[in-house]
Amino acid sequence: MNLSLPDQSMHTSCDGCLEDDKSDVMMPCFRKNMYDEPLASYSSGSIISQLLRKSVHGKRVLDENSFYLSTAADSGQEDQSSVSSKDSTVEATSPTGHTSAGASPEEEHPLTDHLQAKRARVENIIRVMTGSPNSRQHGDNERPGREARESYRENKRKQRLPQHQEHGAAGVQVSRQPGSRNGENIKEEECHKLKEQLHSMQRLLHQLQEKFLQVYNQEEPEYENGEAIEADSDHEILEENNCCMNAEDDYEKKNRRVTADCKDQKTGIGYLVHQGEGQSLQETLKQELSKAVNDCVDRVFKKVSSAGLDLSPQQRMSSSPELHSSLSADRKSQQGSSNTDQPQAEEARVKSQPLEFYESSEAQSPQDQTEALSLVVRKPIAAPVSSITPTVKRPYPIHQTPFQYNYSAPLHDTHILEHLLKYGPHSNFAALSCMPPSMDRTSPESVDLPWDAISMRSKVTSSHLGHHSRPSSLGAVAVDNLCLPHVKIECSELQNMAERNPYMSLNIQEGLTPSHLKKAKLMFFYTRYPSSNVLKTYFPDVKFNRCITSQLIKWFSNFREFYYIQMEKFARQAIADGIRDVKDITVSRDSELFRALNMHYNKANDFHVPDRFLEVAEITLHEFYNAISASKDSDSSWKKSIYKVICKMDSEVPEEFKTSSCM
DNA sequence: CAGACGCCTG
DNA sequence: CAGGCGTCTG
C-alpha cells in the first residue's frame, strides 16, 4: 500500500482560511474551523487572565451585558469571514472606549491591579450571565467607558446573583490579599473564579431547564406529575480538586442541585480539575462552563426551532451569510463586539478542547440500544463550544430567562440551526429528568412550541425503559438516558477511566453521530473494507462495543453496496454504449460515476477525494465490465471475485482521520 | 458460536 | 441507512 496520498488529497476549498499545518487542513475538509493555536499558547501562569483580557479586549461583551450563545468550531469559512466583517462593523459602533480601558491598563499594572482586574472581569462575566438580558441592551453604546476595574467591581456587588456568587467572591477577597500571592495562589484564585462562574452558569442552566420543563409540561402534561428527578449524584469527583478547597463544599452542595446535564458537565469538569496540575486547568474549567451552558441552551433552541422554522435542505446545510443573518436578524444590532481582535485566542481555546465533554448528552445515549433504535445518535452540537468571548445571539429569544452568554468563538446560529434542522432536536433532554420539582410552569411563550423530540425516540422506550432504576416520567424525552444496566456500567467505567487517565480527555461518544457517519463516508474513499481495529483507531472518540462496531461495519457494508451497485450500473452502461475495450473506460473527476459516488460519500463536496480512489473505482469498473462482458454475471456469486480484488486495494486512511474532533 | 459479509427490503 | 436473514469462517 504505497499509496502516497496526494498533497491535495485533504485539500479543501477553504484551505486559504487556515494554516498549512496538515492537521489543520483536515478540519476544513469538513468545514470546521479547528483552530490551530494550541493551548500551550497560554502557557503563562495565568491562562484565564489572558483569556479574560482577550475577552474583554475588543469585545466589551461584559459591559455590554450581551452574552450570546454560539457554537464555536463548526463555522464555515465563509461564516468566519462574514462574521468577522460583521463584527468589525459592530465593533465600530460598539463602545470601543472600553477596549482600551479594559485591556491595556492592566498589562502595565502590577500584579495586584492585574489580579483585581481579572477578578473583576470574571465577576462581571458572572454578573452579566446572571443578569437580565433586558436590563440592558447591547446597543447601548453610551455606556460609560470608565475604568474596567471600577466597573467590574461595582457590578460585582450590584448585579451578581445572591447566594453562592457573592459568597464565593467574598471568600476570595477576604482570604486572598492581593499582592501577597504567588503563582499558585493566582491559580487558585482563578480556579475559584471559574467555579463561581460554574455556579452561576449552573443556576442559569437550572433556569433553562425550568424553561424546558415548562415547555415540556405544556406539551406533555401526562408526564407532569412524575418528572424524574434524576439521581442526586452518582459521581462526585470534584472533591479531587485540589484548589480552592474552601469553596469546595459549597461547590459540591450546589452541584447536587443541578441537573443531570449539569452533573455530567460537572463530572467532566471534575475530571478535568482532577487532572488539574496542568496549566490548562482554568482553561478547561472555562471551557466546560461554556460547554455546559451551551449544551443546555442548544437544547432550548432545538426545541424552539422545532416550533416551525422552515428551511430548505440547502439552507439547513448552508453556512451562508444570508442564512446566518436571516436567522439572527437581531444579532448584528446586539452583537457585542468583534472577534477580529483576538481570533487566534479564540481559535486556541476552541482547539484546545477538541475532545472534551461538550456533549454530555452523548455520554448518556444508549450505546447498546437494540436494533429497534436508530443507531445514529443525534448529536446536539457538532462543534466544540468555546469559552467566553464573541457574541452571537441565539436566533430565538428565550424570554424570562436571562441567558445571554458569550462564547469565545463565533457560535453560529446557522450551525446550530443547521444541526438541529438536519438531525432534529436531540432527544437528550436529560436536564429535565432531574429538574427540581419547583418549577415555574407558566411560560406563555413556550406553549406553542411543539416538542417533537419527545416522540422522536419513542421506539426505545419499549425495550429498555424498564431497566432504568428510575423509570422516566418524561417518556421518550429521557429515553436516551435510560441506559441499559450494562450501558450504565460502561458509562461509569468510562468516567473512571477519565478520572484515572489525565490524558484521556476524549469526548467519548456512546453512540455514533452523523458526524461519525460523515467521517466514515470520507474514510470510504480510502478503505472499503476497514477492519474493526481500523475503525477503532479512527474513531477514538467512540466508545466501542459490539453494537457500535457492528453499526460501523454495517455502514461500510452499505457504502460498498452502493459503490458496487454504481459500478455494475456504469459497467453495464459502458457495455450498452458499445465500448469494446476496457481501456476506454476511465474514471475521472468529471465522470458521472465519480460524481455519483462523490455525491454519496462526499455530499458537501468539501473533501478532496484522493486520486487513489479514482484509480480503485476505475479498476472496479473494469472488473465489472470484464465480468459482465464475459457473461460471468450469470453466476450467482459472480461479484465475489471482484470483491476479492477490490478488498486488496484499500489504502491507509490518513492520520488526520484519527482526530476524533475533526467532525 | 460469534463475527463478518452480502443480499434484500423498508 | 437500518433490519433481517443466510452464508461463510475460524
Side-chain angles (χ1 to χ4, degrees):
Chain A
M1 309 304 183
N2 51 356
L3 306 174
S4 59
L5 302 172
D7 283 346
Q8 70 277 28
S9 64
M10 304 299 290
H11 201 86
T12 69
S13 57
C14 46
D15 49 305
C17 305
L18 295 176
E19 277 51 26
D20 44 346
D21 185 0
K22 202 175 181 184
S23 63
D24 295 327
V25 178
M26 174 66 180
M27 307 320 175
C29 298
F30 315 103
R31 296 183 181 277
K32 318 286 185 194
N33 285 339
M34 298 313 292
Y35 306 100
D36 51 305
E37 183 176 340
L39 183 59
S41 307
Y42 298 102
S43 55
S44 81
S46 188
I47 295 166
I48 189 171
S49 301
Q50 301 187 39
L51 293 172
L52 290 173
R53 185 184 310 126
K54 295 189 176 193
S55 298
V56 173
H57 176 73
K59 289 174 175 96
R60 313 313 316 157
V61 286
L62 306 183
D63 280 348
E64 293 315 309
N65 190 17
S66 57
F67 284 70
Y68 302 128
L69 294 166
S70 58
T71 56
D74 199 34
S75 56
Q77 314 306 321
E78 51 279 20
D79 269 359
Q80 190 72 5
S81 55
S82 68
V83 167
S84 293
S85 60
K86 286 179 190 173
D87 288 343
S88 299
T89 306
V90 173
E91 169 121 307
T93 60
S94 283
T96 49
H98 290 305
T99 304
S100 57
S104 46
E106 57 195 50
E107 313 227 320
E108 306 140 355
H109 279 326
L111 179 61
T112 307
D113 287 343
H114 182 68
L115 291 172
Q116 288 179 350
K118 284 191 296 182
R119 180 191 311 162
R121 281 193 295 274
V122 172
E123 290 164 353
N124 197 59
I125 289 169
I126 296 166
R127 167 183 61 76
V128 172
M129 290 189 302
T130 56
S132 165
N134 300 323
S135 61
R136 267 172 295 146
Q137 284 309 317
H138 163 57
D140 82 45
N141 317 349
E142 77 283 4
R143 184 181 164 86
R146 63 194 138 174
E147 279 283 71
R149 289 194 302 271
E150 271 182 59
S151 164
Y152 294 142
R153 273 179 228 151
E154 222 177 277
N155 293 329
K156 164 176 75 181
R157 304 214 181 285
K158 288 181 182 175
Q159 303 201 1
R160 249 179 316 166
L161 284 183
Q163 300 179 5
H164 350 297
Q165 210 111 10
E166 187 81 41
H167 200 243
V172 170
Q173 275 197 319
V174 170
S175 60
R176 305 291 183 194
Q177 287 303 320
S180 67
R181 285 169 254 179
N182 57 22
E184 263 186 67
N185 287 334
I186 294 171
K187 266 191 174 180
E188 289 181 16
E189 181 186 348
E190 289 172 353
C191 177
H192 189 93
K193 289 173 184 173
L194 286 169
K195 287 191 172 184
E196 291 176 20
Q197 280 186 264
L198 177 58
H199 296 162
S200 160
M201 295 178 100
Q202 284 172 343
R203 283 194 301 278
L204 286 162
L205 288 174
H206 190 123
Q207 292 176 358
L208 278 171
Q209 288 152 1
E210 290 180 0
K211 283 296 173 189
F212 298 161
L213 196 60
Q214 289 167 16
V215 173
Y216 177 79
N217 285 334
Q218 282 153 355
E219 298 282 329
E220 298 286 329
E222 62 269 25
Y223 294 122
E224 184 161 273
N225 287 335
E227 58 242 39
I229 302 187
E230 194 56 56
D232 265 311
S233 52
D234 295 325
H235 349 272
E236 295 287 352
I237 58 175
L238 282 163
E239 45 271 4
E240 306 275 316
N241 190 351
N242 55 3
C243 69
C244 310
M245 296 299 286
N246 53 349
E248 203 57 57
D249 287 345
D250 194 39
Y251 183 60
E252 285 285 316
K253 288 173 192 165
K254 271 134 202 153
N255 273 326
R256 292 177 193 282
R257 292 175 30 226
V258 302
T259 65
D261 267 288
C262 293
K263 282 190 294 182
D264 281 350
Q265 295 292 343
K266 170 175 60 69
T267 300
I269 294 168
Y271 136 67
L272 289 166
V273 169
H274 182 43
Q275 70 172 16
E277 308 152 299
Q279 322 92 310
S280 58
L281 168 61
Q282 291 90 346
E283 177 69 2
T284 53
L285 274 170
K286 274 180 81 74
Q287 292 164 358
E288 292 310 317
L289 289 168
S290 299
K291 288 185 291 188
V293 173
N294 191 69
D295 191 52
C296 277
V297 177
D298 268 345
R299 291 193 196 98
V300 174
F301 279 95
K302 286 170 186 170
K303 159 100 183 89
V304 174
S305 78
S306 69
L309 191 67
D310 187 20
L311 298 176
S312 70
Q314 289 78 11
Q315 282 174 315
R316 296 177 189 190
M317 293 308 297
S318 167
S319 302
S320 69
E322 299 93 310
L323 176 62
H324 196 276
S325 52
S326 70
L327 294 179
S328 54
D330 57 341
R331 184 184 133 194
K332 282 186 183 178
S333 61
Q334 303 205 14
Q335 207 155 16
S337 51
S338 167
N339 257 350
T340 52
D341 278 1
Q342 313 292 341
Q344 289 177 341
E346 285 144 18
E347 290 175 0
R349 279 195 286 270
V350 173
K351 184 164 187 176
S352 68
Q353 52 172 2
L355 307 172
E356 292 173 8
F357 294 86
Y358 55 84
E359 291 175 333
S360 64
S361 55
E362 296 309 307
Q364 300 163 357
S365 299
Q367 53 177 335
D368 264 13
Q369 62 242 10
T370 63
E371 313 217 309
L373 168 66
S374 166
L375 290 171
V376 177
V377 173
R378 271 70 176 177
K379 204 174 180 181
I381 276 235
V385 183
S386 56
S387 37
I388 303 172
T389 314
T391 59
V392 178
K393 195 177 196 305
R394 294 286 175 167
Y396 303 97
I398 307 294
H399 308 296
Q400 295 184 342
T401 312
F403 36 67
Q404 282 185 316
Y405 306 88
N406 68 349
Y407 285 82
S408 69
L411 234 191
H412 294 289
D413 309 318
T414 46
H415 177 64
I416 298 164
L417 292 169
E418 162 187 325
H419 187 89
L420 63 89
L421 288 171
K422 184 178 178 186
Y423 309 126
H426 195 290
S427 55
N428 175 11
F429 287 91
L432 291 171
S433 60
C434 59
M435 288 275 277
S438 59
M439 302 269 101
D440 173 19
R441 309 267 165 85
T442 59
S443 177
E445 61 277 354
S446 20
V447 175
D448 298 327
L449 302 179
W451 199 242
D452 295 337
I454 291 173
S455 57
M456 253 182 88
R457 307 284 285 259
S458 55
K459 286 194 288 185
V460 205
T461 58
S462 56
S463 47
H464 298 323
L465 277 178
H467 293 286
H468 200 263
S469 57
R470 190 178 292 99
S472 172
S473 59
L474 297 177
V477 173
V479 158
D480 276 354
N481 306 314
L482 304 180
C483 303
L484 290 169
H486 65 282
V487 174
K488 276 199 169 291
I489 288 169
E490 289 181 5
C491 291
S492 301
E493 286 174 353
L494 188 62
Q495 288 160 356
N496 292 335
M497 286 171 63
E499 291 175 45
R500 285 193 299 266
N501 184 354
Y503 299 103
M504 183 180 141
S505 62
L506 291 178
N507 178 24
I508 303 282
Q509 304 284 307
E510 296 293 342
L512 294 171
T513 67
S515 293
H516 292 124
L517 177 59
K518 181 177 181 179
K519 181 178 182 176
K521 284 182 171 182
L522 297 182
M523 285 175 63
F524 185 79
F525 285 126
Y526 297 92
T527 175
R528 269 63 58 187
Y529 295 86
S531 66
S532 297
N533 284 336
V534 166
L535 294 176
K536 286 170 183 169
T537 302
Y538 284 91
F539 290 93
D541 59 338
V542 173
K543 172 87 171 119
F544 273 82
N545 55 40
R546 256 177 296 166
C547 193
I548 296 295
T549 304
S550 297
Q551 185 185 2
L552 272 170
I553 289 172
K554 179 66 176 178
W555 280 359
F556 277 87
S557 177
N558 287 333
F559 299 161
R560 285 192 300 271
E561 190 172 21
F562 179 84
Y563 176 83
Y564 288 126
I565 287 172
Q566 296 301 310
M567 292 298 166
E568 181 178 357
K569 174 179 151 189
F570 279 86
R572 293 190 184 277
Q573 184 65 45
I575 292 171
D577 289 346
I579 296 178
R580 297 297 179 91
D581 192 345
V582 258
K583 290 167 186 166
D584 295 334
I585 301 175
T586 60
V587 176
S588 71
R589 294 178 190 276
D590 299 327
S591 306
E592 273 204 41
L593 172 58
F594 174 78
R595 287 193 288 187
L597 296 171
N598 192 55
M599 183 59 66
H600 190 72
Y601 308 116
N602 180 27
K603 202 160 202 160
N605 200 30
D606 52 2
F607 178 80
H608 185 86
V609 178
D611 291 336
R612 174 62 180 171
F613 179 77
L614 294 172
E615 299 172 18
V616 175
E618 188 170 299
I619 293 169
T620 310
L621 189 56
H622 289 174
E623 289 291 324
F624 270 90
Y625 174 91
N626 289 332
I628 296 168
S629 297
S631 296
K632 290 180 181 175
D633 56 338
S634 57
D635 182 357
S636 59
S637 58
W638 65 283
K639 294 178 182 175
K640 284 189 176 179
S641 58
I642 299 177
Y643 299 156
K644 203 170 180 179
V645 172
I646 302 307
C647 74
K648 295 175 181 173
M649 309 194 69
D650 280 4
S651 44
E652 206 160 306
V653 181
E655 290 285 314
E656 288 89 331
F657 280 84
K658 292 179 180 173
T659 307
S660 64
S661 60
C662 66
M663 302 298 143

